[in-house]
Amino acid sequence: MGNQRPEAAEVQEMDPGEKRLNELGYKQELRREMTLFKTLAISFSTMTLFTGITPLYGSSLLYAGPASLVWGWVVVSFFTWFVGIAMAEICSSFPTTGSLYFWAAHLAGPRWGPLASWCCAWLETIGLVAGIGTQAYAGSQTLQSIILLSTGTNKGGGYFAPKWLFLCMYIGLTLIWAVLNTFALEVIAFIDVISIWWQVIGGMVIVIMLPLVSLTTKSASYVFTHFETSPASTGISSKPYVVVLSFLVSQYSLYGYDAAAHLTEETKGADKNGPIAILSSIGIITVFGWAYILALTFSIQDFGYLYDPSNETAGAFVPAQILYDAFYGRYHNSAGAIVLLFIIWGSFFFGGLSITTSAARVVYALSRDEGVPFSSIWRKIHPKHKVPSNAVWLCAAICILLGLPILRVNVVFTAITSICTIGWVGGYAVPIFARIVMDEKNFKAGPFYLGRARRPVCIVAFLWICYTCSVFLLPTYYPLSWSTFNYAPVAIGAGLSLIMLWWVLDARKWFKGPVRNIDIPKGKV
């Protein structure tokens, strides 16, 4: 009897997320030790306060002026809540590392499940791997501005990093993230906890300090009502078109909250904490993101000078010029701007680390179900650290390949950003659409359940995702040429065509979606 009591206690203490995982046909392999706060930290770090807004702020401001940019964030935030709520409900029912891919397979049913999970998995993989590239590129761009201001500014003989050095910084960041992701899970989680405080405290410092330091600030009427197109710079005179393009910064920034879902097999009480982390991330980034946009916009000194190639930051990075103008105008040096740029750079660093974590988990989950060439290699778990280290390095290698065109092409960031957004957000659409059309009696609700509201919420979410993916395929500058062409439609089209051709010719014969690794008696799921 004495030997049976510990076993009984162990059964009673089984985590509800692990219990649901077993019901779905998966055994617990990863360490389940992340708390709600740590999961929220990683989810928030993946969205990040600065990394979405900062690199696209200048172009979005140029398209239609401040009012469209400022109110665009509010509009996009409103529709983002529909997507987040729809995903939180599904996450509560399916707390697995495969997340979107797994959700799509089960929600679409036995007939369409394999195809749904195939499309979702590859869209998500494309989006996440490209997401690492966006963080590495924008982080390198910020570092380029820090070096320039630290060595004397563009006007004072400062050093503006050439393309080859820019590429080296891009590769260096990618490798650092891969190395860190091979350590124990506790190290990554600890770094991400630092990240959330870095961004919250750093964000508050920038949002409060920047308008106070600026010698002059724009009026509220300018920030909230001024509409101004720049056809001489963008080649676009259509007002509806420029408004659509000015929303891109918000649409690019307000996703990534599914990171919490990727970590549900490692989170305590994931059926409750996963949805809480998703919705909390959206709430925090909605408020802080708008405050950051307002701080930058109120602090503009000279709109036209921001884009002047002969200005102190070489016209290459509008937020850096806004920071420089504010601090140099009051203190006659750029030290304060450099410090704040370092805070922003730290946000890119933490964001890239988190996205690398998420990308590796998705590749691991897909490999576990034989959905990637040489799956046996990528699904291996490091025997000591218990993390999918091979998947981490695969993601890093592909990310580096995506960055190589930096040496020759000027629109690399536009292409990588569009590929990232379309793949990442497009992956959300598959399980949400399946949730719309499935028979409700086949859905086993978790603690977070929408009830009758689920269909209208999911329909709005699905339509918004379709719109978002469509606008990222549009040309962003005219007239069209090799230097202004948005390569995303070609890259996405070619990639998805190959993936679907593989499906039609071969994969549909053997790919069945998520593969159970424990046996379950009939009728238990």
Side-chain angles (χ1 to χ4, degrees):
M1 293 295 291
N3 292 332
Q4 293 176 354
R5 290 179 64 188
E7 293 178 7
E10 185 177 340
V11 172
Q12 291 173 0
E13 293 174 6
M14 177 180 284
D15 183 274
E18 181 177 347
K19 182 179 179 182
R20 178 59 179 152
L21 186 69
N22 292 344
E23 291 175 357
L24 292 167
Y26 286 95
K27 63 183 178 180
Q28 184 73 41
E29 293 183 306
L30 302 173
R31 292 181 182 177
R32 189 178 290 273
E33 56 188 26
M34 285 197 175
T35 62
L36 170 61
F37 184 81
K38 289 181 179 179
T39 304
L40 173 61
I42 290 181
S43 184
F44 180 76
S45 297
T46 303
M47 293 184 75
T48 65
L49 174 59
F50 304 113
T51 58
I53 298 170
T54 307
L56 292 180
Y57 176 86
S59 59
S60 292
L61 181 66
L62 185 64
Y63 287 128
S68 185
L69 171 61
V70 167
W71 292 113
W73 183 269
V74 177
V75 172
V76 174
S77 296
F78 173 77
F79 287 104
T80 298
W81 276 104
F82 285 88
V83 182
I85 291 169
M87 291 176 60
E89 183 199 40
I90 301 172
C91 178
S92 183
S93 178
F94 299 106
T96 67
T97 284
S99 59
L100 305 178
Y101 146 77
F102 185 95
W103 302 347
H106 283 260
L107 293 172
R111 182 179 178 184
W112 297 105
L115 176 59
S117 60
W118 178 264
C119 294
C120 186
W122 278 105
L123 280 169
E124 192 177 12
T125 301
I126 291 169
L128 283 166
V129 174
I132 303 171
T134 63
Q135 303 303 293
Y137 189 103
S140 301
Q141 191 177 38
T142 306
L143 191 56
Q144 184 183 49
S145 294
I146 292 173
I147 294 171
L148 178 60
L149 293 181
S150 300
T151 54
T153 79
N154 186 48
K155 285 187 171 182
Y159 183 74
F160 188 74
K163 288 183 177 181
W164 69 266
L165 183 56
F166 192 100
L167 178 61
C168 289
M169 291 189 287
Y170 175 98
I171 294 173
L173 283 172
T174 305
L175 292 177
I176 290 170
W177 294 330
V179 169
L180 289 174
N181 267 280
T182 59
F183 289 136
L185 185 62
E186 300 96 316
V187 176
I188 302 170
F190 176 72
I191 292 174
D192 279 302
V193 170
I194 295 175
S195 168
I196 193 170
W197 290 114
W198 179 282
Q199 292 182 78
V200 169
I201 297 173
M204 290 178 67
V205 168
I206 292 176
V207 166
I208 294 171
M209 180 179 290
L210 184 56
L212 292 177
V213 169
S214 299
L215 283 178
T216 60
T217 56
K218 293 296 185 182
S219 65
S221 62
Y222 175 84
V223 171
F224 293 107
T225 65
H226 184 68
F227 183 87
E228 177 184 354
T229 61
S230 303
S233 300
T234 64
I236 304 170
S237 56
S238 168
K239 290 183 179 180
Y241 195 5
V242 293
V243 169
V244 167
L245 293 179
S246 71
F247 281 25
L248 292 182
V249 63
S250 303
Q251 290 167 296
Y252 169 60
S253 304
L254 286 164
Y255 65 86
Y257 36 87
D258 59 302
H262 299 311
L263 298 167
T264 47
E265 284 186 34
E266 300 159 77
T267 303
K268 299 172 183 176
D271 52 344
K272 293 181 181 179
N273 289 338
I276 291 172
I278 289 173
L279 298 178
S280 299
S281 296
I282 297 174
I284 294 170
I285 204 72
T286 295
V287 174
F288 271 81
W290 203 48
Y292 179 48
I293 288 175
L294 290 176
L296 286 172
T297 309
F298 270 109
S299 302
I300 293 172
Q301 302 299 301
D302 183 345
F303 179 86
Y305 188 64
L306 294 175
Y307 302 92
D308 188 342
S310 64
N311 69 18
E312 288 79 4
T313 56
F317 199 39
V318 168
Q321 186 64 39
I322 293 175
L323 293 174
Y324 175 84
D325 287 343
F327 281 91
Y328 189 83
R330 183 171 293 276
Y331 301 112
H332 303 292
N333 66 68
S334 58
I338 293 170
V339 171
L340 295 191
L341 280 172
F342 180 74
I343 293 174
I344 294 172
W345 179 84
S347 183
F348 286 116
F349 181 86
F350 292 130
L353 179 64
S354 292
I355 294 174
T356 303
T357 304
S358 294
R361 296 306 189 276
V362 171
V363 171
Y364 160 73
L366 185 56
S367 300
R368 184 170 62 178
D369 298 330
E370 306 290 338
V372 179
F374 309 107
S375 292
S376 59
I377 298 174
W378 315 124
R379 67 169 177 254
K380 284 184 178 179
I381 299 291
H382 193 285
K384 179 180 178 181
H385 301 307
K386 300 297 182 183
V387 294
S389 52
N390 288 358
V392 168
W393 285 98
L394 175 64
C395 293
I398 296 172
C399 176
I400 290 172
L401 291 176
L402 282 176
L404 293 180
I406 288 171
L407 293 173
R408 294 291 181 184
V409 182
N410 294 325
V411 291
V412 172
F413 186 69
T414 300
I416 295 178
T417 299
S418 298
I419 293 167
C420 171
T421 306
I422 293 167
W424 203 330
V425 180
Y428 295 177
V430 182
I432 290 176
F433 179 76
R435 182 76 180 99
I436 294 172
V437 300
M438 77 176 297
D439 192 333
E440 189 65 11
K441 69 181 181 182
N442 295 328
F443 183 75
K444 182 175 180 179
F448 184 86
Y449 179 55
L450 295 177
R452 293 182 179 180
R454 59 99 181 177
R455 182 155 286 166
V457 168
C458 289
I459 288 174
V460 172
F462 178 75
L463 293 176
W464 176 251
I465 291 169
C466 292
Y467 167 75
T468 298
C469 292
S470 299
V471 295
F472 273 93
L473 295 172
L474 297 173
T476 53
Y477 289 95
Y478 283 90
L480 292 179
S481 66
W482 287 114
S483 61
T484 61
F485 180 62
N486 181 3
Y487 296 96
V490 176
I492 288 285
L496 293 182
S497 295
L498 289 173
I499 290 165
M500 293 312 298
L501 184 64
W502 183 16
W503 170 263
V504 171
L505 296 180
D506 183 48
R508 63 186 175 87
K509 301 173 185 177
W510 50 263
F511 183 78
K512 303 303 179 185
V515 178
R516 292 174 174 171
N517 57 16
I518 60 176
D519 294 323
I520 304 176
K522 282 188 175 182
K524 291 294 183 183
V525 180

